[in-house]
Amino acid sequence: MSAVADVKRFGKVAVLYGGDSAEREVSLASGTGVLKALRNAGVDAHGIDKGRDLIPRLRDGGFDRAFIILHGRGGEDGTVQGALETIGMPYTGSGVLGSALAMDKHRTKLVWRALGIPTPEFHVVRTEADLEAAASSPGFPAFVKPVHEGSSVGMAPVDDEESLQRAWYEAARYDTEVLVERRIDGPEYTASILDRQVLPLIRLEPARAFYDYEAKYADDSGTRYHVPCGLSAGDEARLARMSLEAFDAVGASGWGRLDLLCDADGNPFFIDVNTAPGMTTHSLVPMAAAAAGLSFEDLVVRILEAGR
C-alpha cells in the first residue's frame, strides 16, 4: 500500500529532471525512475527536461507542484527553487537558502565550523598561487573537488604537490573555486533524511580508491553497501542526531543526504549535504528507505508529501 493513500490531492505533478549541468545524465536517470514510480503510485506525473522555457511550460501545462530531481548547478542550487517561488508553485526538497548553501561546499563548511559541527580541515584554491598554502594546510593526503559540483565530478585524491597541481587543473575546469580537503582515513557513511526522520545509516565499502562517479552510478562489480551499517545502536543514534543537526544548520529541509567519514577513533567528520540526491538503481537514499521498510514508490510519494 502507498505511504499516502490519497495521491490525487497532489494534482498534476511536474518531475523536473535533466537540465544542462555536469550531472545531466544522472538527473535523467533519476528522473526516469521517479516518474515511473509516481505514476505507478497513481500520481498524475509528467516529466519535464528543464530548459530556458521551464516556467512558461509549467504555467501553460496547468501543473500544481514540482518534484525536483535536478542535480548540480541550475537545479539543485536554489535557482529553480527561486523561480518556482515567484509563481507560487509548491516543490519538493529544500528552499532557496538551503539549496544554495548546501550546493556551496566551502560556505557549508564555514557554517559547520562556526557551529562546532566537525568537518575536515580545508583550503580554497582560486588561483595557482594558492596551491602552496593548500599543500601546507590541510596538507596531504587530501581530496580536491570543485566547490559547486556534486556526484564527485572533478574530484580526485592527492598525496603530494605534483598530484595536487594536476587535480587542481582538472577541478578548475568545472569551477573557479576548488576545495582542498584533508582526507579522513576511516569508514564512510551516508545518512538519508526524509521529513526529519534519519533513515538507517549505510556504510560504504568502495572497491575503488574512493567512492567516485563510476562507483556511484556505473560500477556493478565492487562497491559494497552495509545496512545495518555495523555500528552499535547507540553510536548510530548519535551519528543520526549529528546528521540532522548538520542538515538543519544549512537550512536544508524535506529530504536529502549527508556524507560523513569517521577517523580511527570513531570521530565523525561531515563532508557535504545533497539536497536532491540521486534516485538511480545505484543510489543510497532508496537503499536506506528500503531498510526502513519503504518501497521506492512509497519513498517518492513521501518526498512529495514532505514538499514545501
Side-chain angles (χ1 to χ4, degrees), residues 31-186:
T32 298
V34 167
L35 181 61
K36 179 180 179 181
L38 286 174
R39 287 175 171 172
N40 288 344
V43 177
D44 182 19
H46 305 261
I48 293 184
D49 189 343
K50 179 228 169 197
R52 293 181 180 273
D53 60 347
L54 175 62
I55 297 304
R57 291 179 68 185
L58 291 174
R59 282 176 168 159
D60 296 345
F63 290 98
D64 297 294
R65 68 187 62 235
F67 192 118
I68 301 175
I69 197 63
L70 294 159
H71 305 320
R73 284 184 275 191
E76 197 176 353
D77 60 359
T79 53
V80 164
Q81 290 77 6
L84 295 176
E85 295 274 359
T86 64
I87 62 172
M89 179 170 289
Y91 56 89
T92 57
S94 297
V96 176
L97 173 63
S99 299
L101 186 51
M103 193 70 205
D104 189 316
K105 295 179 177 66
H106 176 207
R107 277 79 186 179
T108 290
K109 289 168 76 69
L110 290 176
V111 170
W112 283 345
R113 189 165 65 179
L115 294 174
I117 296 170
T119 188
E121 297 171 30
F122 64 93
H123 190 90
V124 174
V125 176
R126 296 180 176 87
T127 69
E128 189 170 2
D130 296 328
L131 291 174
E132 183 177 352
S136 175
S137 177
F140 305 106
F143 276 113
V144 171
K145 56 185 79 171
V147 165
H148 302 96
E149 292 290 352
S151 294
S152 299
V153 170
M155 180 175 169
V158 296
D159 294 293
D160 52 39
E161 292 185 21
E162 183 179 349
S163 60
L164 171 61
Q165 186 171 51
R166 288 198 305 268
W168 174 72
Y169 279 133
E170 177 62 23
R173 293 174 50 212
Y174 299 94
D175 206 334
T176 57
E177 290 187 307
V178 173
L179 191 74
V180 180
E181 181 180 71
R182 180 168 66 91
R183 194 158 81 217
I184 304 297
D185 290 323

